[in-house]
Amino acid sequence: MAVTIEELYRNYGILADAKPEDLSQHKDAYQVILDGVKGGPKEKRLAAQFIPKFFSSFPELADAAINAQLDLCEDEDVSIRRQAIKELPRFAAGENIVRVADILTQLLQTEDSAEFNQVNTALVSIFKMDAKGKSTLGGLFSQILQGEDIVRERAIKFLSIKLKTMPEDAMTKEVEDYIFTETKKVLEDVTGEEFVLLMRILMVLKGLQTMSGRQQLVELVVEQAFLEQALNPADPDTVDRLLQCTRQALPLFSKNVHSTRFVTYFCDHVLPNLSSLTSPVAELDIQLEVLKLLAEMSPFCGDMEKVETNLTMLFEKLLEFMPLPPEAEGENGENTLSDEPKLQFSYVECLLFSFHQLGKKLPDFLIDKINAERLKDFKIRLQYFARGLQVYIRQLRVALQGKTGDALKTEENKIKVVALKITNNINVLIKDLFHNPPSYKTSFNVVTGNLRPSGEDMGAGSTMKKQLSPPLPRRDARQIYNPPSGKYSATIGNFSNGEGGAGAARVAH
């Protein structure tokens, strides 16, 4: 026979009126409350509140009590589920913490937003109650490693969002070491999106924000990137993995944590296959994305055994994207439009900057390592490129002249502002290379802001399954090169996203 509301209140009264030392004598009264989970909606709501209130007084009924509350957490009535979930942290004591954390982690799969928020709140609550934090984390990582895909995904997201909000006294060295160890296990088999989130988890750990800690993180990313293997340019998953790993490594690099292995890999394996890379996302200009990543990493190279080899590869790529002047000229001495090569400014900017950064390590490269004939050819290309550059810079300045405030915020003018920055950057680098001997002293400040049109992703990277989250912010304000990107690349950088024709990349004389 089902328990009634009256019986629940009567037995609650017995337990509430009993002295603490006498509570254990009223086991039958507590059993009636447990049986309330078999009643109707009203009885279940009362049971959800009464069961946890006296849970600690009946250790011999602990399993039955937790199972009864778990039944309520899975009830068809969402209001009953929310009430039961709200009370779950009261069961989290001693050896029960791991079990409760495990249950709550499984409940993250709910599709009800209010219920989902309740589960999140409950998990945070028991983490703060857990003296060492490891028991709660044990429940979470257990589901990440062994649970259903949806539970795994949401548990990883929970940790990536909530860990950084935990009080400092909860994030002890022991807890951080446990997170690091368990995360390494998870990293043995992850999707692209999971990798990004797991790196975000590790980056908030205080112990990994030191120089040695960041070096450990770089080592983890190197393992994920498979830098010991040759690149298969035709496999989009392989290309995607490299892009993602490089993106995650970027915030870690500094003057003491070097990007050498990544830069060397790009020069050895990526640049020779640049034109044959298979993009993991249809709208992504994979060549520009790769060149941008290389440019962003190049300032943080340490000593390189293969600096001459890497500079040679960059030099060869520059020749590909810096055309010779057309031989035929029109009556007025200017090139005809039909013969005029396309000038891919975005590509050249990235390559020139990378060459410039590595050139600092071997400043006599152009003089000692390149024969006179090739050097002459290179300077002719630089000169021709600079001519087109000057024409375009003048056009941009005229177009932007007198524009301020809101006028500069239009999409068209944003593109022109970025274009002007890129062309000015290239101009400065070319001037450096024309010095005798070539100079490598120029440095750029960070270009800030996201100039991509709203809703478009033209080079931020991609995941193996889903769109990548935006790159993580750097830990400090290091002044490094950050190549501008956006619709401008489609207009004058030969960005293959379906906007603008091939002629858009030409510079009118």
Side-chain angles (χ1 to χ4, degrees), residues 72 147 162 166 172 243 247 278 316 363:
L72 297 175
K162 299 298 182 181
M166 293 298 176
T172 63
L243 291 182
R247 276 284 172 207
T278 302
E316 297 296 338

Side-chain angles (χ1 to χ4, degrees), residues 243-293:
L243 291 182
Q244 290 190 69
C245 290
T246 307
R247 276 284 172 207
Q248 293 309 303
L250 275 171
L252 303 170
F253 297 140
S254 68
K255 64 180 181 180
N256 295 315
V257 180
H258 297 150
S259 60
T260 310
R261 276 183 290 179
F262 278 91
V263 171
T264 298
Y265 187 86
F266 270 58
C267 290
D268 283 352
H269 297 280
V270 182
L271 290 184
N273 295 297
L274 190 63
S275 61
S276 59
L277 291 174
T278 302
S279 176
V281 179
E283 66 272 16
L284 177 68
D285 183 337
I286 188 63
Q287 294 189 58
L288 181 59
E289 177 66 9
V290 162
L291 294 178
K292 283 166 55 183
L293 288 172

Side-chain angles (χ1 to χ4, degrees), residues 45-58:
R45 288 191 189 92
L46 282 178
Q49 299 173 59
F50 293 170
I51 292 172
K53 186 172 179 63
F54 301 105
F55 170 72
S56 60
S57 299
F58 300 96

Side-chain angles (χ1 to χ4, degrees), residues 10-18 23 26-27 29-30 33 54 58:
R10 184 170 65 253
N11 284 280
Y12 174 84
I14 292 171
L15 296 174
D17 293 340
L23 265 174
H26 301 286
K27 183 178 174 181
Y30 191 59
I33 289 174
F54 301 105
F58 300 96

Side-chain angles (χ1 to χ4, degrees), residues 206-379:
K206 296 190 297 292
L208 294 178
Q209 291 175 15
T210 61
M211 186 181 77
S212 61
R214 291 168 74 179
Q215 188 61 55
Q216 284 186 71
L217 289 176
V218 170
E219 297 296 332
L220 271 182
V221 180
V222 167
E223 289 177 17
Q224 288 291 315
F226 297 160
L227 296 188
E228 301 303 318
Q229 300 179 14
L231 179 71
N232 178 3
D235 180 16
D237 286 342
T238 301
V239 174
D240 196 25
R241 176 183 288 273
L242 180 63
L243 291 182
Q244 290 190 69
C245 290
T246 307
R247 276 284 172 207
Q248 293 309 303
L250 275 171
L252 303 170
F253 297 140
S254 68
K255 64 180 181 180
N256 295 315
V257 180
H258 297 150
S259 60
T260 310
R261 276 183 290 179
F262 278 91
V263 171
T264 298
Y265 187 86
F266 270 58
C267 290
D268 283 352
H269 297 280
V270 182
L271 290 184
N273 295 297
L274 190 63
S275 61
S276 59
L277 291 174
T278 302
S279 176
V281 179
E283 66 272 16
L284 177 68
D285 183 337
I286 188 63
Q287 294 189 58
L288 181 59
E289 177 66 9
V290 162
L291 294 178
K292 283 166 55 183
L293 288 172
L294 179 57
E296 290 181 73
M297 292 188 291
S298 59
F300 307 116
C301 266
D303 294 332
M304 301 178 73
E305 293 180 7
K306 301 174 65 176
V307 62
E308 182 181 335
T309 305
N310 293 339
L311 278 168
T312 301
M313 179 51 67
L314 284 166
F315 180 81
E316 297 296 338
K317 279 297 162 188
L318 271 170
L319 294 182
E320 287 183 27
F321 290 106
M322 301 187 76
L324 285 166
E327 292 182 7
E329 294 188 340
E331 295 178 1
N332 59 359
E334 294 182 351
N335 299 326
T336 60
L337 185 62
S338 60
D339 293 327
E340 189 174 309
K342 290 183 289 186
L343 304 181
Q344 301 190 68
F345 293 110
S346 297
Y347 290 18
V348 170
E349 181 198 26
C350 295
L351 283 166
L352 270 178
F353 184 84
S354 300
F355 182 85
H356 193 273
Q357 291 298 310
L358 268 62
K360 293 177 182 179
K361 301 182 183 304
L362 192 62
D364 295 331
F365 173 78
L366 287 174
I367 298 171
D368 293 346
K369 307 298 180 181
I370 302 297
N371 67 49
E373 194 62 34
R374 296 208 77 197
L375 185 58
K376 179 182 177 182
D377 173 81
F378 181 55
K379 290 192 172 182

